[in-house]
Amino acid sequence: MSSEYIEHVPTPLLEHLVDGQWLPLIGAGFSRNAVVQSGELPPDWRNLGKYLAEQLPDFDSSVGPLEIISAYEHAYGRNTLVDKIGRLTRVYDARPGKAHVAFAELGFEKVLTTNFDFLLERAYETTGRPCVPLIGESQLAGLSPSHGPKLYKLHGDIHHPGNLVMTEEDYDLFLSRWPLLATAITSLFISHTPVLIGYSFDDPDTRQLMALIKERLGGLSRQVWSLQIAASPQEVARFERRGVKVINLARRPGLSYDEQLRRFFSELGDYWRRELLDGSQSTDERVKADLLVPAESSVTCYFEVPLDSVAWYKEAVFPVVEEAGFAPVVASDVQTPPGTNFTKGDALAQRATILVVDISSEAGMQYAALAALKRDVRNVLLVRGTADPVPNILSGLTMLVRNDKNADAFQQAFRDWIFEFRDKALESRRSEAERLLEQDDPEGALISAVALLEAELNRRLGQPKSSLIPRPNPTAWITSAVEAKLVEGRKYGELANAVKARNEAVHRKVSVHKSDAVRYVKTILEVVGQLPPEEAAR
């Protein structure tokens, strides 16, 4: 996996990312990555001041942009200033660039911005997970993360001119005018690591943020970082003199800043998802084992369903999934640090063999549309209610209708679909353990082989009809198979040893010697190959 860009990020800062402790702060420079049909890109602070100064007769344009903006308001009034800034910053027609979309896909639960535009909101819409803009103080409470990422618009936006922070007076009165907002932001600075994106020290926003941190927290604040591309030693020194460390990405010739940032965020997301699952915990035996094998060897079936439907799916559908030899999982089955729920769900969905999405909610509909564009649609199953409308983008996907009054019909339809998929994937699963041995991954090979054995015995011995009945463990499956004369008794000891070695690898992180893995895998594949057909075993 590429690390061309994130190699510039210090290891402790990457650890904070994995733990869900980054707090991105998005500034005006990031809007320069927008896409416009024609004309100029949204300006940074310096050029915004320059454009406004041209319309101020006999005005010294060498002063800072904040003074120019204040003078423009004094000369022409607040409404004219708001309208002018809206047009100059291309608020109404600019579209998010590749960097905006890649950032929105990262899965941060809280993002701060001082920008007036709607580029981040539009970027989040394209990901299938719309954000929740928070403007002023009245919206600070009452929203759970399940509603979407929270986008704190510290300086308002063009649609809320009363909340805009643009002039010297606005900046001077910010703390007294919005004390609750300032307190809420300060608390985030205590628990999170601020990372500035799209800021320079010419921005009054940067100075205000640093002043807020210094005034409210003093030495209690976490280290503040700033993401830059090819910053000069002088620029780096200016940041560091004010207590800000710089992540300085090297300039890549031939690539736009938009493309470089897209690649950086893409690498960052890959790293976050991988490391998050590597350090996660699960009480489900099969899911815990599955997380230890490469994603391409996964046998999980990930359910993206509303929280109030999880219990129904676990009772009515999970036993069918297990009977087919897959490991059903919802996000709550895997424990990760606070602030990582979106990233956890994305990571589980990306590595899953099968993705089931309930589109009875608007969020599910958006998630399904995105999933359809990103992965093999043969592995995606949509579930809708009897009256749920279906947008055209989803019309080509396999879809089942859920009727709680007739759960048996849904279960049978689901069984038919997943068993057909299982039969097509069976041959590749049988060769997976050998492939992992060739890649010098003895632990992954053994885990994959035991999962295959469990699935094959499950097919022939049957699965509890309810998820409330404990699922047999691999050793119990082997014992039952020997008693049913599906497996020779002399193979029991070697199979039991294979399961024991697999359990130690999963629960205690004990390494498996390659020669042992080769022997165990060979035995398991021989046993699987000698099993009678499924119909004859029942």
Side-chain angles (χ1 to χ4, degrees), residues 14-26:
L14 288 175
E15 292 172 351
H16 287 183
L17 172 74
V18 174
D19 289 340
Q21 295 177 1
W22 274 31
L23 181 65
L25 295 95
I26 309 299

Side-chain angles (χ1 to χ4, degrees), residues 43-89 116 166-167:
D44 57 17
W45 264 99
R46 182 181 301 173
N47 284 316
L48 180 62
K50 178 183 175 182
Y51 293 146
L52 293 176
E54 293 174 353
Q55 300 183 20
L56 292 172
D58 303 322
F59 191 82
D60 180 8
S61 60
S62 65
V63 300
L66 186 58
E67 188 171 343
I68 295 172
I69 293 171
S70 302
Y72 192 96
E73 181 191 43
H74 179 75
Y76 302 112
R78 182 80 170 188
N79 290 338
T80 302
L81 172 64
V82 171
D83 180 68
K84 188 68 174 179
I85 285 183
R87 286 186 284 115
L88 286 174
T89 57
F116 308 142
M166 302 182 295
T167 66

Side-chain angles (χ1 to χ4, degrees), residues 276-295:
L276 183 66
L277 290 187
D278 284 350
S280 66
Q281 297 292 325
S282 177
T283 55
D284 187 293
E285 177 78 15
R286 290 184 64 187
V287 172
K288 187 173 183 177
D290 191 89
L291 294 176
L292 296 178
V293 302

Side-chain angles (χ1 to χ4, degrees), residues 312-388:
W312 185 89
Y313 276 94
K314 287 196 171 188
E315 171 66 19
V317 183
F318 276 29
V320 181
V321 177
E322 292 171 344
E323 185 180 350
F326 297 99
V329 59
V330 293
S332 58
D333 291 333
V334 178
Q335 288 75 53
T336 57
T340 61
N341 284 333
F342 295 143
T343 302
K344 173 178 64 177
D346 292 343
L348 290 171
Q350 284 188 18
R351 70 172 280 116
T353 301
I354 300 172
L355 176 62
V356 178
V357 185
D358 189 313
I359 61 172
S360 59
S361 67
E362 182 179 354
M365 194 85 73
Q366 292 163 335
Y367 190 97
L370 181 68
L373 297 174
K374 284 193 167 186
R375 60 179 291 151
D376 185 348
V377 295
R378 294 171 298 178
N379 302 7
V380 178
L381 177 68
L382 305 184
V383 180
R384 67 181 180 92
T386 54
D388 294 333

